Amino acid sequence: MLHRRFTILSMILTASLAVSAQTPTTLKDAYRGAFHIGVAINSDQITGKDARGTAIVAEQFDSISPENAMKWENIHPKAGKYDFTLADQYVDFGEKHHMFIVGHNLVWHSQVPAWVFQDDSGKPVNRIELLRRMHDHIFTVVGRYKGRIQSWDVVNEALNEDGTLRDSKWKQIIGPEYLIWAYRWAHEADPMMELNYNDYNLENPAKRKGAIDLIKILQQNGIKIAVVGVQGHDHMNWPSADLEEQTILDLANLGVKVAITELDLDVLPTVPQATTADVSYHVESDPKLNPYSKGLPDSVQKALATRYADLFKVYLKHREVMSRVTLWGVTDADSWLNDWPVKGRSSYPLLWDRNFKPKPAFDAVIQAANQGK
Ligand code: G3I
């Protein structure tokens, strides 16, 4: 009798251990089968100098994006001079850990050195020459990582808030068709990789409409946009879960997948115009704008966790059309939001704190997956 009781007890124990062993504790395991879970990594994480950050990336994520390593000013700083040192290490890191590797980005209005748009006398370069430079850049960079980078943000942030085309130097000198050439050449350079269009504030209806019209024009020109990247530089009260859901559905209607490409959640007081992610926008510092310099109150920590969970529930609900959700940084210390739009603030937008400890928001994101499957 006693023996039988022990047998039953040990069966129950084994079963409960099996259940807890199956409950994922990493982001990539929790969301496996739904979509990739990615993270943007900086130079210290690429090289391993930030050993603790690098360990989190390897353990938790199955996709990476280069926060800055592949931007034009870093990879192609001078005419005819490419520097692939960091970019090569980035791709090696992703391959070593069997990750889905993203390229960010090829054609952007920002972080492009002045020489690209100038001729030898400093005057604006002519259209044919700028097309030639863009062709050279795309073929050299995409070609170098052909078959190794699975997904490229080909054109980044081409739209204004009202949905019209941004008056970038690319548009001024080449004309709106610069987008068609960029996608055509990126596809020719590596026909197997995914072509992405990536932008912020696509939740804003006017900008979303502009993006939808733009993707349709590209599609009419024979370009297969695989993914529209909704950056996701979000705030505590914007976008609402409903607005996020509508955005995903509207974009997926184009026959593309949707990715959240640069997710972070700003808990700091917003300043006028800070709902954009325009890197050139800056505001004078003011202690009132930096209320959590000594730490994040529990109530805000909890609210952040709830907000993260609410968004992940939406992503999970639409997993059939979602290809990836990428966090824009590992720990709060890494975030660009410590310096934008106000320099030197203490920001708390990510899933790990400044001591490399997972925040309640991390647990909430894991729980959202376990509940949603
Ligand atoms: O590496 C230099 C360093 O050598 C120098 O001493 C230091 C002095 O300020 O600057 C360092 O470069 C900075 C770089 O980040 C690395 O920290 C640049 O000044 C700074 O402009 C750059 O900011 C990046 C920004 O894009 C502009 O490229 C942010 O880290 C990065 O998070 C941000 O990411 C963008 C996406 O690419 C596109 N969508 C919006 C998103 C947020 O702005």
Side-chain angles (χ1 to χ4, degrees):
M1 185 66 184
L2 198 65
H3 174 73
R4 207 168 150 239
R5 270 203 199 142
F6 269 126
T7 313
I8 291 170
L9 196 67
S10 80
M11 277 167 69
I12 293 170
L13 262 174
T14 318
S16 69
L17 278 175
V19 168
S20 69
Q22 279 164 9
T23 307
T25 53
T26 66
L27 295 172
K28 66 181 173 192
D29 288 340
Y31 286 89
R32 180 157 295 131
F35 39 75
H36 288 293
I37 289 280
V39 65
I41 60 176
N42 62 28
S43 56
D44 286 350
Q45 289 146 0
I46 293 172
T47 58
K49 192 173 158 209
D50 171 11
R52 291 202 278 177
T54 307
I56 293 174
V57 176
E59 184 191 62
Q60 295 283 336
F61 296 92
D62 64 9
S63 172
I64 46 171
S65 298
E67 186 178 7
N68 290 305
M70 289 184 153
K71 288 174 183 172
W72 195 308
E73 66 182 5
N74 297 321
I75 210 168
H76 192 181
K78 297 205 172 93
K81 184 184 175 292
Y82 286 88
D83 182 353
F84 292 113
T85 319
L86 205 53
D88 284 357
Q89 291 180 66
Y90 164 77
V91 176
D92 289 346
F93 177 88
E95 286 188 333
K96 183 174 159 203
H97 296 286
H98 313 290
M99 289 167 158
F100 182 84
I101 306 175
V102 179
H104 173 82
N105 56 57
L106 295 168
V107 180
W108 191 20
H109 64 277
S110 187
Q111 317 305 120
V112 182
W115 67 262
V116 176
F117 303 110
Q118 289 169 359
D119 66 15
D120 288 344
S121 60
K123 296 214 184 79
V125 74
N126 69 53
R127 180 175 184 275
I128 296 295
E129 177 57 18
L130 187 57
L131 277 166
R132 198 198 62 72
R133 289 178 188 182
M134 190 169 94
H135 178 275
D136 169 72
H137 182 83
I138 291 174
F139 270 83
T140 307
V141 178
V142 176
R144 184 176 182 92
Y145 303 109
K146 184 176 179 183
R148 301 179 69 200
I149 287 189
Q150 284 80 40
S151 188
W152 266 105
D153 293 340
V154 177
V155 178
N156 197 45
E157 303 172 2
L159 295 165
N160 293 313
E161 292 309 289
D162 65 0
T164 56
L165 213 52
R166 188 190 286 273
D167 195 27
S168 66
K169 291 233 165 60
W170 299 110
K171 180 182 164 234
Q172 285 169 14
I173 298 172
I174 299 173
E177 63 274 24
Y178 83 87
L179 284 116
I180 294 174
W181 288 112
Y183 282 101
R184 212 171 262 170
W185 287 334
H187 177 66
E188 276 175 31
D190 183 355
M192 296 306 285
M193 64 83 174
E194 286 181 355
L195 303 173
N196 305 340
Y197 175 70
N198 191 46
D199 214 328
Y200 54 82
N201 283 357
L202 294 181
E203 293 86 353
N204 162 357
K207 194 163 185 179
R208 191 185 330 149
K209 182 173 182 313
I212 290 169
D213 292 346
L214 173 64
I215 304 299
K216 282 186 179 160
I217 291 171
L218 292 169
Q219 290 173 331
Q220 283 154 13
N221 279 274
I223 287 153
K224 286 205 176 77
I225 299 289
V227 173
V228 175
V230 174
Q231 291 189 1
H233 294 295
D234 293 344
H235 296 260
M236 291 301 278
N237 57 3
W238 187 92
S240 67
D242 287 350
L243 185 56
E244 194 61 21
E245 176 163 37
Q246 195 55 54
T247 304
I248 292 170
L249 292 172
D250 287 354
L251 294 171
N253 236 345
L254 290 159
V256 300
K257 292 266 180 175
V258 178
I260 307 297
T261 52
E262 305 185 8
L263 182 62
D264 45 28
L265 274 170
D266 197 355
V267 299
L268 296 181
T270 46
V271 291
Q273 292 179 44
T275 45
T276 79
D278 184 343
V279 288
S280 65
Y281 179 62
H282 288 289
V283 171
E284 277 302 297
S285 66
D286 172 347
K288 277 203 245 74
L289 296 174
N290 190 21
Y292 310 131
S293 58
K294 301 218 161 48
L296 195 61
D298 275 355
S299 58
V300 187
Q301 191 78 265
K302 278 191 195 129
L304 178 71
T306 306
R307 174 82 171 122
Y308 256 111
D310 289 348
L311 285 172
F312 270 84
K313 282 177 198 158
V314 173
Y315 308 148
L316 205 52
K317 182 173 170 195
H318 297 288
R319 71 186 88 173
E320 297 79 25
V321 297
M322 299 289 301
S323 66
R324 166 170 62 95
V325 176
T326 291
L327 275 297
W328 204 242
V330 183
T331 77
D332 287 339
D334 301 327
S335 175
W336 71 295
L337 290 169
N338 291 303
D339 286 316
W340 186 93
V342 186
K343 254 199 152 348
R345 293 201 292 180
S346 300
S347 187
Y348 300 84
L350 295 167
L351 299 182
W352 278 265
D353 70 15
R354 287 170 169 75
N355 296 315
F356 302 89
K357 197 169 158 257
K359 292 159 62 176
F362 170 85
D363 298 326
V365 170
I366 295 268
Q367 263 175 36
N370 294 336
Q371 285 161 8
K373 279 189 171 171

